[in-house]
Amino acid sequence: MTTTENQANPIGFGRMLRKEDARFLRGKGNYVDDLNLPGMLHGAVLRSPYAHARIKSIDISAAQAHPKVKAVITGEILETLNLAWIPSLSHDVVAVLATDKVRFQGQEVAFVVAEDRYSARDALELIEVDYEVLPPVVDAKKALDKDAPVIRDDIAGKVDNFIFDWESGDKAATDEVFANAAIVVNQDMLYPRVHPAPMETCGAVAYMDPIDQKLTIYSTTQAPHAHRTLYALVAGLPEHKLRVVSPDIGGGFGNKVGIYPGYVLAIVGSILTKRPVKWMEDRSENLMSTSFARDYHMKGSIAASADGKILGLRVDVLADHGAFNNTAQPTKFPAGFFHVFTGSYDLMAAHCSVRGVYTNKAPGGVAYACSFRVTEAVYLVERMVDRLAQELKMDPAELRMKNLLRPEQFPYTSPTGWEYDSGEYPRALRLAMDIAGYEELRKEQAQKRAKGELMGIGISFFTETVGAGPKRHMDILGLGMADGCEVRVHPTGKAVVRLSVQSQGQGHETTFAQIVSEVTGIPPEDIDVVHGDTDNTPFGLGTYGSRSTPVSGAAAAIAARRVVDKARIVASAMLECAPEDLEWEKGRFNIKGDKSVGKTMAEIALGAHGTVELPEGVEGHLNAECVYDPPNLTYPFGAYICVVDVDPATAKVSVRRFIAVDDCGPRINPMIVEGQVHGGLADGVGMALMEVIAFDEDGNNLGASFMDYLIPTSLECPSWETGATVTPSPHHPLGLKGVGESATVGSPPAVVNAVIDALAPYGVKHADMPLTPAQVWQAMQGAPYRT
Ligand code: CDP
């Protein structure tokens, strides 16, 4: 791994080893499955073997007779508690346990609670379910056929599999641009169904204390406060009788945003047995039943002038949402942020339409390491730009340079209404090309082609849109997307920072301490970060869509500034001078013009808790809080270049080099940012080359284990070459933009563009991900595209 930093800009507050690694590297993390409460029982879920079937009857008597079984729960029992269905994140409903029908393979049908995990699993086999198998809808394109079986006949009056129709942009203006353009290129493409596949699967331990009637749920959630409110609304329990604790989380990537039936079942199991109940899914359950990502069938068109000025873009999307519409996204945007699909280019007009359909597949459609469908949008535009370059016979880097937004155009309003906050796009692309030695690579490619060797160079330029809210535009089920932070400074000058966001491995315990340290001067080692416990942290919507730094990071900076403002008043009382006579030198206030007379933060903290008389109306202590409703999203961006070699005999793709220049504004901790980028690049290589959840025509899931659902290892990844430019966000208090998901968003099109570039001698224009040897081989044989 090599890193090139743009020395003109200070890029970070400082590299600092991660505080949390002291426990993670020693195997001392505390995950949900590490919890063992006294008297704890274990739950297991019986799942449907069919994609679509009517439930005629369920016989649980043999399971109930198992000596170690304490409870067997069916949908019928949940109906009596009004818990058979719960609200989805997208104003639909989700079955906790199937009552009438099963609608995807792996759907939850019954729940057994037993003395131990093995007995619970054994007893599942004693449950007899009589199914009447129904024809499944597997192909999204056939879901709207007139004779397609209706999946959601639980919805009154439903006669088809249609979910929503949504559009954005100016259709008439786009049509006009296309009618007058010198060149129009069309391309169908599929962003296949993939899975976030976190290392830790989903699980919960629920305990309803029978004495004080307080329900505690330890669960793998990225959004503990939102979960608590939803539990309160569904169960009718007051929030102070509900505590959600999210201990260490072994990766989320969007997979742990929603509430899964297993969490609810652990709760019901505890209420019925009056004992703590643990439910922890296995790998296959995670891959089969929890939120998938993508599954977007896209028809793109790009219009340009003969000399390569991009004029317009349009796309028609068919979105496969599975059996229940449970995608996690702001209410206002049924297709997430897909309409940011004009990407990083200066266009005249754009229009997109998205139709959502039900199919007999697992529900979800989460933002897997992306901000609400931005990944699909970036893939679409970056493939379309490369297709245009192909048709124009123009270098794809030159075409991008010609069309990238220029710095003076910011703040820039896109044709679909997004206001990009800041950017210096050409500088980032140039830096990536310099690190890559782009011109040399093209020469090398020409030489190899002459020898029949297949080398490809792929570029992608992406703009991300991260940090949801503002809450006037964005909510999930009516909860506005704002986040909180509380800073409390102890009398000795050490501090505790409480956050509403939830780390799943991103290193918040380190970076949020660094943010507060940067503002207050208290060393980061002296700042403890608390998160993941609704009883001990302020309310907020949690961590996904790289929103922690843009939202809670801003709240932390503002709360820390409030501490410093207060410290000035306390210091002035201690030094018997006016507050304006003091000047701030990181970590202390000095008398203006005399650095020898002053007070450090530690002294001021003691003063604030001591006997110093403060001016009237000023309360003691040095505590502050902030609820931050961001004025806009932040728009990190990046330029990626991928170099691949394709074996002409086996069609195997090897990623030889990958250059990633990211701009997320100043970096709190450049080491952590690089780690985030490395992980995201590996994600992208995986999606581009090997990951897919496929189904057979009966709706059987063909990707339900890591033998079938391939994820990349270090063997498939090159030594990443990273670089940085720094364009601060004008509205974030510290100029910070999010970065957690940038690389996952930006890298797949770079890999695909590189492979298609390598296959140019075969006249290949497009092939869908994953570009497995079989898929590449077919493309080389001129096989029709599979979308
Ligand atoms: O919401 P999430 O934590 O997944 O994403 P993020 O806000 O982009 O942050 C990911 C990690 O990178 C966190 O530890 C951040 O504090 C850190 N980061 C950073 O050091 N500098 C930035 N400009 C952005 C993020």
Side-chain angles (χ1 to χ4, degrees):
M1 189 274 296
T2 52
T3 307
T4 306
E5 294 173 2
N6 183 334
Q7 297 303 340
N9 292 287
I11 74 163
F13 303 168
R15 287 171 190 270
M16 173 184 165
L17 291 181
R18 301 194 334 161
K19 293 169 126 199
E20 43 273 82
D21 283 347
R23 63 179 190 281
F24 291 151
L25 296 179
R26 289 175 174 84
K28 298 286 182 198
N30 184 28
Y31 298 90
V32 169
D33 205 20
D34 293 323
L35 281 170
N36 266 313
L37 301 188
M40 191 173 78
L41 301 171
H42 297 259
V45 174
L46 180 73
R47 295 180 182 275
S48 167
Y50 301 112
H52 200 189
R54 195 164 300 288
I55 297 178
K56 287 161 65 183
S57 65
I58 305 181
D59 181 356
I60 57 171
S61 51
Q64 280 174 316
H66 187 292
K68 292 199 169 171
V69 166
K70 296 290 171 194
V72 182
I73 302 168
T74 60
E76 212 175 304
I77 296 169
L78 289 184
E79 266 174 342
T80 64
L81 303 168
N82 205 17
L83 281 177
W85 297 84
I86 54 172
S88 84
L89 294 175
S90 291
H91 302 275
D92 191 355
V93 285
V94 178
V96 176
L97 289 176
T99 47
D100 52 342
K101 286 202 310 193
V102 285
R103 294 177 168 84
F104 66 94
Q105 190 191 45
Q107 187 180 339
E108 298 78 0
V109 175
F111 189 66
V112 170
V113 181
E115 292 285 353
D116 58 72
R117 181 174 162 86
Y118 306 100
S119 303
R121 295 227 155 194
D122 283 351
L124 293 182
E125 295 182 16
L126 302 174
I127 300 174
E128 294 284 340
V129 186
D130 191 5
Y131 291 104
E132 175 197 338
V133 179
L134 301 170
V137 181
V138 182
D139 184 344
K141 290 182 184 157
K142 294 186 181 154
L144 294 180
D145 285 356
K146 277 203 162 45
D147 56 354
V150 178
I151 299 167
R152 295 299 303 281
D153 43 1
D154 57 293
I155 301 172
K158 191 85 185 129
V159 293
D160 56 27
N161 296 314
F162 173 82
I163 310 178
F164 66 84
D165 227 338
W166 187 70
E167 62 179 325
S168 179
D170 187 334
K171 186 170 184 320
T174 309
D175 288 348
E176 198 182 321
V177 163
F178 271 78
N180 296 317
I183 175 164
V184 170
V185 180
N186 302 310
Q187 183 63 57
D188 289 2
M189 63 187 87
L190 168 70
Y191 209 129
R193 176 174 280 236
V194 293
H195 197 280
M199 208 189 309
E200 177 203 34
T201 58
C202 298
V205 175
Y207 181 47
M208 172 62 104
D209 188 316
I211 309 297
D212 67 6
Q213 292 291 305
K214 182 156 179 169
L215 177 63
T216 303
I217 306 141
Y218 304 87
S219 67
T220 50
T221 169
Q222 298 177 219
H225 285 279
H227 275 208
R228 183 180 62 168
T229 305
L230 295 182
Y231 290 135
L233 293 172
V234 170
L237 284 172
E239 264 133 325
H240 66 280
K241 291 289 183 190
L242 273 164
R243 178 179 176 203
V244 176
V245 182
S246 190
D248 287 330
I249 303 282
F253 312 108
N255 190 231
K256 293 169 180 167
V257 173
I259 292 180
Y260 290 118
Y263 302 165
V264 179
L265 292 167
I267 294 169
V268 175
S270 175
I271 292 171
L272 293 181
T273 60
K274 300 189 173 37
R275 285 168 64 174
V277 172
K278 179 189 279 185
W279 163 75
M280 200 76 215
E281 66 190 5
D282 64 23
R283 178 61 55 195
S284 292
E285 293 181 288
N286 181 255
L287 286 169
M288 283 177 91
S289 68
T290 62
S291 287
F292 70 94
R294 328 295 188 230
D295 221 341
Y296 258 34
H297 300 253
M298 305 183 276
K299 282 182 181 301
S301 304
I302 192 164
S305 65
D307 64 349
K309 175 81 191 86
I310 304 174
L311 304 171
L313 191 60
R314 68 177 160 214
V315 57
D316 187 17
V317 180
L318 187 61
D320 184 338
H321 281 222
F324 308 104
N325 186 23
N326 197 16
T327 71
Q329 65 212 349
T331 303
K332 220 168 149 180
F333 304 117
F337 296 170
F338 182 78
H339 54 313
V340 74
F341 75 111
T342 55
S344 318
Y345 306 102
D346 181 17
L347 316 180
M348 288 168 69
H351 179 258
C352 72
S353 62
V354 185
R355 248 173 327 153
V357 293
Y358 291 119
T359 58
N360 287 114
K361 299 177 191 165
V366 292
Y368 158 26
C370 89
S371 201
F372 312 116
R373 304 283 189 188
V374 174
T375 313
E376 290 88 327
V378 166
Y379 182 71
L380 183 277
V381 65
E382 289 307 299
R383 282 295 299 129
M384 292 312 297
V385 170
D386 252 46
R387 283 286 289 110
L388 178 64
Q390 248 173 3
E391 298 299 322
L392 290 169
K393 298 193 175 27
M394 201 168 163
D395 184 284
E398 189 191 335
L399 180 62
R400 284 180 172 83
M401 274 297 186
K402 192 177 174 110
N403 287 285
L404 284 176
L405 292 165
R406 296 177 311 282
E408 63 275 15
Q409 288 178 278
F410 290 86
Y412 164 80
T413 303
S414 80
T416 48
W418 296 91
E419 190 187 291
Y420 297 13
D421 57 353
S422 61
E424 282 210 42
Y425 294 0
R427 182 164 68 122
L429 180 54
R430 191 61 251 174
L431 180 59
M433 291 169 71
D434 289 348
I435 299 173
Y438 185 75
E439 288 75 13
E440 288 306 308
L441 283 172
R442 285 287 174 207
K443 282 184 202 149
E444 183 192 346
Q445 182 184 42
Q447 286 160 2
K448 291 206 161 193
R449 272 193 187 154
K451 293 189 278 179
E453 291 175 30
L454 302 177
M455 168 183 167
I457 306 159
I459 301 178
S460 86
F461 197 100
F462 68 92
T463 302
E464 259 247 85
T465 166
V466 304
K471 66 180 188 174
R472 68 180 181 283
H473 292 317
M474 289 170 212
D475 69 278
I476 288 202
L477 290 181
L479 299 173
M481 299 189 87
D483 274 82
C485 174
E486 289 169 12
V487 179
R488 185 180 300 172
V489 184
H490 302 305
T492 59
K494 320 287 183 217
V496 55
V497 176
R498 299 176 194 280
L499 302 172
S500 58
V501 289
Q502 171 63 42
S503 181
Q504 309 120 45
Q506 297 94 323
H508 291 177
E509 287 166 48
T510 308
T511 47
F512 278 80
Q514 287 185 276
I515 291 177
V516 173
S517 170
E518 176 71 12
V519 178
T520 61
I522 301 171
E525 305 77 45
D526 290 343
I527 300 173
D528 193 27
V529 174
V530 175
H531 56 174
D533 181 347
T534 54
D535 271 6
N536 289 304
T537 55
F539 184 87
L541 280 220
T543 292
Y544 37 84
S546 302
R547 60 189 300 282
S548 304
T549 304
V551 189
S552 235
I558 291 173
R561 281 181 185 169
R562 289 178 181 159
V563 166
V564 174
D565 289 346
K566 181 88 175 285
R568 177 189 286 273
I569 296 169
V570 176
S572 72
M574 292 172 84
L575 293 165
E576 297 180 350
C577 66
E580 2 2 309
D581 292 340
L582 293 174
E583 64 186 358
W584 175 247
E585 181 192 1
K586 197 169 167 190
R588 57 181 283 140
F589 275 107
N590 299 323
I591 297 277
K592 268 186 191 157
D594 184 359
K595 284 191 174 202
S596 68
V597 185
K599 293 284 175 196
T600 65
M601 275 302 272
E603 289 165 336
I604 298 169
L606 202 53
H609 288 81
T611 54
V612 181
E613 211 159 301
L614 297 175
E616 208 171 307
V618 178
E619 293 172 359
H621 303 183
L622 281 187
N623 304 333
E625 59 185 38
C626 171
V627 177
Y628 191 72
D629 178 16
N632 188 6
L633 293 137
T634 66
Y635 291 79
F637 56 91
Y640 289 179
I641 299 179
C642 177
V643 183
V644 301
D645 297 301
V646 179
D647 184 334
T650 63
K652 182 177 179 297
V653 176
S654 306
V655 179
R656 192 206 307 173
R657 289 182 67 194
F658 201 109
I659 296 92
V661 171
D662 275 277
D663 191 324
C664 56
R667 298 176 173 203
I668 305 161
N669 186 327
M671 180 198 73
I672 286 183
V673 171
E674 279 158 27
Q676 296 283 299
V677 171
H678 290 182
L681 296 176
D683 266 348
V685 167
M687 284 184 284
L689 299 183
M690 58 190 79
E691 294 181 36
V692 61
I693 300 240
F695 293 83
D696 71 11
E697 58 194 18
D698 294 326
N700 291 312
N701 186 317
L702 304 178
S705 82
F706 279 162
M707 294 295 283
D708 308 298
Y709 187 78
L710 303 182
I711 53 172
T713 66
S714 55
L715 295 178
E716 286 79 34
C717 297
S719 184
W720 313 113
E721 298 166 65
T722 56
T725 59
V726 179
T727 314
S729 167
H731 58 79
H732 187 284
L734 297 177
L736 309 175
K737 300 182 178 188
V739 76
E741 302 169 337
S742 289
T744 314
V745 171
S747 55
V751 181
V752 174
N753 287 344
V755 175
I756 303 301
D757 183 51
L759 301 180
Y762 289 80
V764 175
K765 294 187 169 169
H766 180 73
D768 283 326
M769 299 185 283
L771 294 173
T772 58
Q775 176 77 334
V776 174
W777 181 258
Q778 286 212 335
M780 287 162 74
Q781 311 313 308
Y785 309 130
R786 178 163 61 74
T787 57

